[in-house]
Amino acid sequence: MDNKPVIGFIGIGVMGRSMAGHLLNAGYPLHVHNRTQAKAQDLLDKGAQWQDSPGKVAAVSDVIITIVGFPNDVEAVYLGDDGILVNARAGSTVIDMTTSCPDLAQKIAEQAKTKGISSFDAPVSGGDIGAREARLSIMVGGDVEVFEKIKPLFEIMGKNIVLQGPAGSGQHTKMCNQIAIASGMMAISEAMAYARKSGLKPETVLKSIESGAAGSWSLTNLAPRVLQGDFAPGFFVKHFIKDMKIAIGSAENMGLDLPGLQLAKQLYEKLADRGCEDDGTQALFKLYQDQL
Amino acid sequence: MDNKPVIGFIGIGVMGRSMAGHLLNAGYPLHVHNRTQAKAQDLLDKGAQWQDSPGKVAAVSDVIITIVGFPNDVEAVYLGDDGILVNARAGSTVIDMTTSCPDLAQKIAEQAKTKGISSFDAPVSGGDIGAREARLSIMVGGDVEVFEKIKPLFEIMGKNIVLQGPAGSGQHTKMCNQIAIASGMMAISEAMAYARKSGLKPETVLKSIESGAAGSWSLTNLAPRVLQGDFAPGFFVKHFIKDMKIAIGSAENMGLDLPGLQLAKQLYEKLADRGCEDDGTQALFKLYQDQL
């Protein structure tokens, strides 16, 4: 238990609270910062140290982990005046686990390198339940040698940890994940809308189709919730829209047209305009429900 | 083995050949008809009887099974002058396993009823491999009492046999299946295109995303083929377009707008215009490949 690196953790939201908690439970010294201090109280009660800014966290930590809201937040936390890169020590490692822009991840990695800091982008999938149960899939971009050293930290928070390539590769991989989910949500919404409109019993339809070529995680896990009128968030519509915007921006930068993703984003924005941005992603079905 | 009903089987294509073969192997007397007689030769060698027309098959059979190409073919085979309904005996049962129009299935069932014939629509999923291995999912529309009597026949051809409701319900369920697949194919094509364009190793991306919320049958089974440049048909582009047209027509009749399905159909038509109609459905990726 000796020689454990000191961990700094910035962003104690639904995900961060569970993830930082696992590190604390595993015996790592933990410094935390969050915009709203109250959300960190559980962790402080268990022995984490509060710091008043991202910079102060960085100054006392060997490994600094962040999971904040939007790319703007990532930029401020890393590149701001009282941010991480100004204050972190040479030889330290920074890991951004926010879902954010691939090019921002590359920019942070470049600036980090000039200061002798190793930088990783490592967004996750698996949601709040995955974070709580330490079963996250973690998609990592960064240097392979340092990756091997910090991998034990990832293994405390997740199950499926894959180094995808250099800086930005974690974010790009997460974009692939969100792109696949986006059209996939149209797929299940439209299939269930058709089922109900045509007078079928959609639950019985699932028995015929979910184990075959139409099968998906969403069909098995989200379609039954949709059919029960359960639109409670596993993953928020507003966060999904953020991710799709990042993916579309990134695809445009590369000169790649993704019409399915574009359509899904338009539909989700329509949904958000109706005041459903705090619903779960399965609420896409509501756009079709009007026609039933 | 006595008192087995005499089976008539019309449509000895890739699917029909395997399905009829299973019935023959199970000891059912079998009469067959196909547009091209040569395709039935295997079955004739094993003891099936050739008949020169759908009507002649119907006249000598207790249960008449069809799996032909397009709704027009279904209409001709059932409602034509030398078709099934004119020639089948009262008390017989007809089962159309073609993927076809729900309203045509209802029309056939209504006409069949006036002649004392029981009618089922029972399209399948599982493709040529499912047919060969008798592992098809069979989605059935028709009367529940007669269904129980003919279910043993379905069990010889498939594994997942579900009565979905009255006439037309099998076709409607198959449409749900195809609707879910349609946008799902955009999902995996766009995710893999993004992966490759962004310089990731798409095979490694799959390790991160296929077991989570982005996971699907298509991602696991078709994305690896796409990445190897393998566009050989499990299911033909041209047949998938047919199915999407039926689904869109049926949805329009019900007053249901399905933008994801519309977009998928447009993309597949673009693909067919490029001469790829005999590729497998995973060839949708080719539309994106131009941008890579």
Side-chain angles (χ1 to χ4, degrees):
Chain A
M1 290 301 204
D2 41 330
N3 288 330
K4 280 193 190 299
V6 175
I7 311 289
F9 206 108
I10 296 161
I12 311 296
V14 176
M15 301 292 288
R17 186 197 327 244
S18 293
M19 293 156 74
H22 294 313
L23 294 166
L24 196 59
N25 290 341
Y28 287 88
L30 189 73
H31 293 266
V32 301
H33 176 74
N34 194 50
R35 245 175 348 207
T36 311
Q37 185 173 350
K39 290 189 182 170
Q41 197 55 52
D42 281 4
L43 293 170
L44 301 179
D45 291 346
K46 288 189 205 158
Q49 297 287 311
W50 177 257
Q51 298 292 345
D52 279 332
S53 71
K56 285 183 180 153
V57 170
V60 296
S61 302
D62 301 308
V63 177
I64 301 110
I65 298 173
T66 54
I67 181 162
V68 295
F70 291 79
N72 283 347
D73 301 314
V74 174
E75 193 158 12
V77 162
Y78 276 88
L79 307 178
D81 289 342
D82 195 19
I84 293 169
L85 291 193
V86 174
N87 293 282
R89 302 183 295 239
S92 63
T93 299
V94 299
I95 307 170
D96 182 31
M97 304 185 77
T98 318
T99 295
S100 174
C101 300
D103 52 0
L104 178 57
Q106 286 160 353
K107 183 178 170 186
I108 290 169
E110 281 161 23
Q111 296 199 17
K113 197 174 180 185
T114 64
K115 296 165 185 269
I117 298 167
S118 299
S119 176
F120 289 84
D121 50 304
V124 303
S125 73
D128 54 343
I129 295 171
R132 204 158 56 232
E133 297 178 352
R135 299 177 56 85
L136 294 169
S137 175
I138 307 180
M139 305 157 230
V140 189
D143 178 71
V144 59
E145 283 177 33
V146 183
F147 172 72
E148 291 302 330
K149 289 185 200 153
I150 59 169
K151 201 174 172 189
L153 297 176
F154 290 135
E155 287 167 342
I156 289 166
M157 301 182 279
K159 287 278 177 217
N160 186 25
I161 296 129
V162 182
L163 181 68
Q164 290 287 348
S169 301
Q171 297 299 350
H172 276 313
T173 302
K174 180 67 186 280
M175 291 303 114
C176 296
N177 190 72
Q178 304 308 71
I179 291 166
I181 290 174
S183 291
M185 291 306 301
M186 297 194 294
I188 73 156
S189 302
E190 296 192 358
M192 291 300 97
Y194 183 102
R196 193 161 274 172
K197 187 79 174 181
S198 62
L200 295 169
K201 204 162 167 252
E203 294 81 1
T204 310
V205 171
L206 287 177
K207 286 184 196 162
S208 279
I209 74 172
E210 75 176 348
S211 60
S216 67
W217 186 95
S218 298
L219 194 68
T220 296
N221 291 281
L222 296 181
R225 290 196 219 166
V226 161
L227 297 173
Q228 288 159 18
D230 172 6
F231 300 112
F235 188 58
F236 285 110
V237 165
K238 62 186 174 192
H239 293 157
F240 194 41
I241 291 172
K242 174 201 81 165
D243 294 356
M244 287 188 283
K245 281 181 180 167
I246 296 171
I248 287 170
S250 174
E252 278 173 0
N253 287 345
M254 299 188 289
L256 180 64
D257 183 37
L258 301 175
L261 177 63
Q262 292 272 8
L263 175 60
K265 194 200 82 168
Q266 284 166 23
L267 294 175
Y268 271 103
E269 284 175 336
K270 207 189 239 188
L271 184 65
D273 287 344
R274 289 172 47 163
C276 301
E277 63 174 17
D278 288 327
D279 279 347
T281 50
Q282 75 274 22
L284 186 63
F285 184 73
K286 286 184 177 180
L287 292 186
Y288 299 91
Q289 217 166 20
D290 299 342
Q291 305 177 60
L292 304 184
Chain B
M1 290 303 202
D2 40 330
N3 287 328
K4 281 194 189 298
V6 174
I7 310 289
F9 206 107
I10 296 160
I12 310 298
V14 177
M15 302 291 288
R17 186 196 327 242
S18 293
M19 295 157 74
H22 295 312
L23 294 167
L24 195 60
N25 290 341
Y28 288 88
L30 189 73
H31 294 264
V32 300
H33 176 75
N34 194 47
R35 243 173 351 205
T36 311
Q37 186 174 349
K39 291 189 183 171
Q41 196 56 52
D42 280 3
L43 294 170
L44 300 179
D45 291 346
K46 288 188 206 159
Q49 297 288 310
W50 176 257
Q51 298 292 345
D52 280 331
S53 72
K56 282 182 181 152
V57 170
V60 295
S61 303
D62 300 308
V63 177
I64 301 109
I65 298 174
T66 55
I67 182 161
V68 295
F70 290 80
N72 282 347
D73 301 313
V74 174
E75 193 158 12
V77 162
Y78 275 90
L79 307 177
D81 290 341
D82 194 18
I84 294 169
L85 291 193
V86 173
N87 292 282
R89 300 184 297 237
S92 65
T93 299
V94 299
I95 307 171
D96 182 31
M97 303 186 78
T98 317
T99 295
S100 172
C101 300
D103 52 359
L104 177 57
Q106 287 160 351
K107 183 177 170 188
I108 291 169
E110 280 160 24
Q111 295 199 18
K113 196 174 178 185
T114 64
K115 295 166 186 269
I117 298 166
S118 298
S119 176
F120 289 84
D121 50 303
V124 303
S125 74
D128 53 342
I129 295 170
R132 202 157 59 231
E133 297 178 352
R135 299 178 55 87
L136 294 168
S137 174
I138 307 179
M139 305 156 229
V140 190
D143 177 71
V144 60
E145 284 179 33
V146 183
F147 171 72
E148 291 303 329
K149 287 184 203 156
I150 59 168
K151 201 174 172 189
L153 296 177
F154 289 135
E155 286 166 342
I156 290 167
M157 299 182 280
K159 286 277 178 221
N160 185 25
I161 296 130
V162 183
L163 182 67
Q164 290 285 349
S169 300
Q171 296 299 350
H172 276 314
T173 301
K174 180 68 186 278
M175 291 303 113
C176 295
N177 190 72
Q178 304 307 73
I179 291 166
I181 290 174
S183 291
M185 290 306 301
M186 295 193 296
I188 73 156
S189 302
E190 296 193 357
M192 291 301 97
Y194 183 102
R196 194 161 275 173
K197 186 81 175 179
S198 63
L200 296 169
K201 202 160 168 255
E203 294 79 2
T204 310
V205 172
L206 287 177
K207 285 184 196 162
S208 277
I209 74 173
E210 76 176 348
S211 60
S216 68
W217 186 94
S218 298
L219 194 68
T220 297
N221 292 280
L222 297 181
R225 288 195 219 169
V226 160
L227 298 173
Q228 288 159 20
D230 172 7
F231 300 113
F235 187 58
F236 285 111
V237 165
K238 62 186 174 190
H239 293 157
F240 194 41
I241 291 173
K242 174 201 82 166
D243 293 358
M244 288 189 282
K245 282 182 180 168
I246 295 172
I248 286 171
S250 175
E252 278 174 359
N253 287 344
M254 300 188 290
L256 180 65
D257 183 36
L258 301 176
L261 176 63
Q262 293 272 7
L263 176 59
K265 193 199 82 166
Q266 284 165 24
L267 294 175
Y268 272 102
E269 284 175 336
K270 207 189 241 186
L271 185 65
D273 287 346
R274 289 172 47 163
C276 301
E277 63 174 16
D278 288 326
D279 279 348
T281 51
Q282 73 275 22
L284 185 62
F285 184 73
K286 288 183 177 180
L287 292 186
Y288 299 91
Q289 216 165 18
D290 299 342
Q291 305 177 59
L292 304 184

